[in-house]
Amino acid sequence: MYQGIAASPGIEIGKAFVLKEVEIEINTANISEEKIDREIKCLEEGIAKSREQLAKIREKAELELGKDKAKIFDAHMMVLDDPMFIDEIKDKIRSERITAENAINQVAKKYIEMFNNMEDEYLKERAADIKDVSVRLIKNVLGIPIHSLADLDEEVIVIAKDLTPSDTAQMDKTKVKAFATDMGGRTSHTAIMARSLEIPAVVGLGSISRCVSEGDTVIVDGNKGVVLVNPSEDILKQYGELKLEYQRFKEEMKKLKDLPAETKDGERRVEVAANIGTPKDVKGALDRGAEGIGLYRTEFLYMDRENLPDEEEQFRAYKEVAEAMYPRPVIIRTLDIGGDKKLPFLEMPKELNPFLGWRAIRMCLDNPELFKVQLRAILRASHYGKIRIMYPMISSVSEIRRANAILNEAKEELRRESKPFDENLEVGIMVEIPSAAVAADILAKEVDFFSIGTNDLIQYTLAVDRMNEKIARLYEPFHPAVLRLIKNVIDASHRAGKWTGMCGEMAGDPLAAPILLGMGLDEFSMSAASIPQVKKVIRSLTYEQAKEIANRALEMENPEEIREMVGKIISEIK
Ligand code: PEP
Ligand code: MG
């Protein structure tokens, strides 16, 4: 059994196809002065040929994998078009009087090493791009045919040292059932491609390509990151069953995608939504069956850059999400900066307790001009979909009123400029500070909805820093105080004829779902990956059962008891 990194889920059993790398022989001898021009010409022809091949692969990738994945090949073309990279190769040929393949090899090595030494996992993986392009270029310079997985004549499991993006893009998807490679990590292109093709894959296996021969029977378990070679009949049978079980699980999850999040008896229907950070996350949310966006964390638009995003840029991002989700609702949270999130271009004071400091709405109210730019962008985007605004870190009525006053100014301005926006746009707040949860009945009069941010609500209620792993065990969503606060918020909103959602991580916990459902939570917003499971739990209970679970949980004294009680009920109803 070989243990690697689980890169793409699923189980497959089949015959191995071992992708052999042709040994490239690099002539390291010096060349005579007269041959320099010929080498440069060979290099240029190699570049042209590589470009032609990459354009074809790119086209195929765009058709089969979508625009986003095809961009990898733009990155490859950019390496070929990069004057720094190519001129350095040419200079080497001339000044050191060496062959084109030798020069490519040396320059590529330098860059590969540079990227490999970077801390950032993503940049590290970019070394693979340069390697892929340079090997292609060397082969084209030397006239070595480039192998491909495009014309396999039977179903196989591909075993390779490494699979380059071009290998995966060209491969015949109807024939490749899974793959296993020596190299790669979870963020490698091979892994990303495998996940988007939904092909099980295990990467980072070390030496699997040397241990497997063509035609061996191989099991790839992409759930556990395990590969088995020529297993016994018993193991084969066992994995055959696991494979079927996994397929059934996947089918079941897929079927849930378009089903409503309603209780078994049809008595209660809630909304299951996704949390996103950028417009790019919308596709994943829709694929998993999100009925809306319950939290769009806009601060990502402001981070990792030198200057503030202007109204146009923000408007485009919000509009893109609103249009892609339409007619589903999108809750856009206004800038939640401070705490652990800093902006390089905004002077933020050094604070002893940043999580209790100048953050989110507090900072926005002190910077009305900056805040108004965002509000104007959100309002303008509201014309293109169903947008709701949500203020973070609200602790009192006056903050809501002050934020709304700036929102009204923004609306006035847009009216004067004849710029359309949704006049009926709902405005809500995050309930993530205990004062807001306790005084929810007072705040409910000022808003259209609440969304409970348990990530912060738990840290403030229990006085447990959510970033400090030393006290992580004290960070307890099922603490009676937390459950009571949640119940108080939901009840207060309902009494005022408003609704309550939850966008903290707790909303995506299948164990918390029965309790929250029974308490009357109206909307559950979570990372897209958790949606099917939470939907499944909601659909497997009657509303009466959920209410009973919630009532029992609210009477219990400690979290362990609550978890045990809910866990038992869920396992029984499955
Ligand atoms: C929360 O606090 O629960 C929340 C959703 O916001 P964030 O995690 O962005 O602080
Ligand atoms: Mg928060």
Side-chain angles (χ1 to χ4, degrees):
M1 186 166 99
Y2 300 85
Q3 180 72 54
I5 297 163
S8 177
I11 295 171
E12 275 299 346
I13 306 170
K15 293 266 168 266
F17 173 88
V18 185
L19 196 64
K20 287 258 167 358
E21 266 303 317
V22 187
E23 278 298 317
I24 302 176
E25 252 180 66
I26 296 201
N27 179 358
T28 53
N30 280 107
I31 53 171
S32 58
E33 194 74 37
E34 309 82 71
K35 292 209 173 129
I36 288 178
D37 285 347
R38 203 193 65 190
E39 287 302 307
I40 301 270
K41 191 157 173 272
C42 271
L43 173 71
E44 277 165 355
E45 282 170 3
I47 294 173
K49 197 159 173 201
S50 304
R51 216 179 260 140
E52 216 173 280
Q53 290 164 348
L54 282 170
K56 272 201 200 127
I57 300 173
R58 196 196 174 287
E59 208 179 285
K60 188 166 159 117
E62 189 166 325
L63 270 177
E64 291 176 7
L65 299 163
K67 266 207 168 77
D68 232 34
K69 299 284 174 311
K71 277 198 191 126
I72 293 169
F73 302 102
D74 288 335
H76 285 194
M77 297 248 215
M78 263 154 70
V79 177
L80 285 179
D81 289 335
D82 184 349
M84 219 165 83
F85 183 69
I86 300 300
D87 288 350
E88 203 171 323
I89 297 172
K90 286 183 182 168
D91 283 349
K92 249 190 191 315
I93 298 175
R94 284 195 194 97
S95 62
E96 295 176 28
R97 284 206 283 114
I98 56 174
T99 60
E101 72 267 22
N102 193 4
I104 302 166
N105 192 36
Q106 288 186 28
V107 175
K109 250 195 189 143
K110 184 182 107 181
Y111 286 103
I112 291 168
E113 215 162 277
M114 194 178 90
F115 278 107
N116 269 334
N117 284 333
M118 293 198 174
E119 284 287 315
D120 186 307
E121 272 306 308
Y122 181 80
L123 287 177
K124 237 186 198 148
E125 297 290 355
R126 302 296 69 79
D129 289 339
I130 299 186
K131 182 149 180 254
D132 194 356
V133 182
S134 56
V135 169
R136 171 178 302 280
L137 188 52
I138 293 177
K139 282 183 179 167
N140 282 329
V141 164
L142 295 175
I144 299 173
I146 292 174
H147 66 244
S148 101
L149 293 170
D151 29 52
L152 296 163
D153 33 72
E154 57 173 348
E155 286 195 339
V156 292
I157 289 190
V158 174
I159 309 284
K161 196 158 184 262
D162 196 10
L163 280 174
T164 62
S166 12
D167 288 332
T168 24
Q170 288 178 90
M171 108 191 146
D172 179 350
K173 277 85 192 171
T174 60
K175 300 282 169 36
V176 177
K177 292 164 77 178
F179 42 76
T181 60
D182 295 348
M183 326 250 287
R186 252 195 82 78
T187 56
S188 62
H189 283 317
T190 319
I192 295 168
M193 291 272 195
R195 285 197 289 275
S196 76
L197 290 168
E198 297 193 18
I199 292 178
V202 179
V203 300
L205 282 151
S207 58
I208 193 86
S209 66
R210 272 186 279 128
C211 308
V212 176
S213 312
E214 196 86 12
D216 279 352
T217 300
V218 179
I219 299 174
V220 173
D221 180 349
N223 300 336
K224 299 220 170 73
V226 165
V227 174
L228 295 105
V229 183
N230 294 328
S232 66
E233 279 302 316
D234 271 0
I235 299 276
L236 268 177
K237 203 164 147 242
Q238 200 181 319
Y239 267 92
E241 279 160 20
L242 280 175
K243 178 180 160 179
L244 281 177
E245 201 178 294
Y246 183 73
Q247 275 166 349
R248 276 196 295 267
F249 168 77
K250 246 177 88 174
E251 282 310 310
E252 200 185 338
M253 290 298 153
K254 242 191 229 149
K255 271 193 248 145
L256 282 171
K257 185 178 160 237
D258 299 316
L259 295 176
E262 68 181 3
T263 51
K264 201 160 90 182
D265 52 358
E267 283 295 309
R268 173 89 177 137
R269 176 163 180 181
V270 294
E271 189 183 301
V272 175
N275 294 350
I276 61 165
T278 76
K280 274 202 240 102
D281 302 335
V282 169
K283 186 176 177 303
L286 288 172
D287 284 350
R288 291 275 159 67
E291 296 169 314
I293 300 298
L295 168 65
Y296 176 3
R297 290 184 162 99
T298 56
E299 49 278 6
F300 292 106
L301 201 63
Y302 291 71
M303 283 151 75
D304 284 332
R305 55 190 293 158
E306 299 298 314
N307 47 12
L308 273 169
D310 64 12
E311 183 181 313
E312 266 327 289
E313 185 181 345
Q314 295 194 51
F315 163 65
R316 278 197 303 274
Y318 307 151
K319 175 170 173 265
E320 188 181 337
V321 175
E323 282 180 335
M325 289 303 294
Y326 190 76
R328 302 170 194 84
V330 175
I331 300 182
I332 302 187
R333 174 174 76 182
T334 58
L335 186 58
D336 182 5
I337 217 71
D340 57 327
K341 300 171 214 152
K342 297 265 179 280
L343 296 184
F345 47 83
L346 199 79
E347 208 166 307
M348 313 271 295
K350 216 171 160 31
E351 299 176 303
L352 268 182
N353 292 300
F355 274 104
L356 303 181
W358 196 59
R359 59 175 292 204
I361 197 74
R362 303 170 180 180
M363 189 277 281
C364 285
L365 292 176
D366 286 347
N367 282 291
E369 286 313 313
L370 176 148
F371 191 34
K372 209 199 285 174
V373 170
Q374 180 173 42
L375 294 175
R376 280 179 56 106
I378 300 175
L379 283 169
R380 283 174 56 203
S382 72
H383 179 63
Y384 299 88
K386 191 170 172 191
I387 285 182
R388 295 173 178 147
I389 290 185
M390 175 161 77
Y391 305 133
M393 289 286 291
I394 293 287
S395 63
S396 67
V397 165
S398 71
E399 284 164 342
I400 306 176
R401 291 188 183 151
R402 284 166 61 205
N404 279 341
I406 301 173
L407 180 67
N408 285 336
E409 273 175 36
K411 285 183 180 174
E412 252 331 294
E413 286 176 11
L414 293 177
R415 283 189 199 107
R416 276 201 302 274
E417 294 162 26
S418 304
K419 291 192 172 136
F421 64 89
D422 176 6
E423 291 277 357
N424 300 314
L425 163 135
E426 287 186 17
V427 180
I429 59 163
M430 287 197 69
V431 178
E432 49 185 343
I433 298 183
S435 60
V438 173
D441 55 330
I442 300 175
L443 301 184
K445 297 187 196 114
E446 306 285 324
V447 300
D448 294 311
F449 66 91
F450 288 143
S451 184
I452 307 177
T454 48
N455 304 344
D456 279 317
L457 185 63
I458 296 167
Q459 86 162 339
Y460 296 133
T461 305
L462 305 179
V464 177
D465 181 347
R466 68 192 251 198
M467 315 284 283
N468 186 341
E469 64 300 334
K470 218 171 177 169
I471 47 168
R473 78 202 142 74
L474 296 177
Y475 187 91
E476 181 49 83
F478 292 86
H479 190 294
V482 174
L483 296 183
R484 280 164 197 222
L485 282 180
I486 294 172
K487 177 82 167 79
N488 189 53
V489 175
I490 299 172
D491 288 348
S493 73
H494 289 174
R495 279 197 302 271
K498 314 287 166 71
W499 58 273
T500 294
M502 179 180 285
C503 58
E505 287 303 305
M506 189 175 180
D509 179 350
L511 269 192
I515 303 176
L516 300 171
L517 178 69
M519 284 183 181
L521 189 73
D522 302 282
E523 178 235 33
F524 294 60
S525 191
M526 61 201 78
S527 356
S530 306
I531 291 177
Q533 259 182 309
V534 168
K535 227 189 223 183
K536 188 167 176 232
V537 172
I538 292 171
R539 292 181 57 84
S540 59
L541 293 163
T542 64
Y543 195 29
E544 267 317 305
Q545 275 174 323
K547 281 198 252 184
E548 158 96 20
I549 295 173
N551 287 336
R552 278 174 65 188
L554 281 164
E555 278 161 15
M556 287 181 167
E557 288 172 6
N558 58 63
E560 295 75 34
E561 249 182 295
I562 300 174
R563 280 177 208 280
E564 200 186 310
M565 183 258 303
V566 184
K568 203 156 154 262
I569 295 173
I570 290 187
S571 64
E572 276 164 12
I573 52 169
K574 257 182 195 167

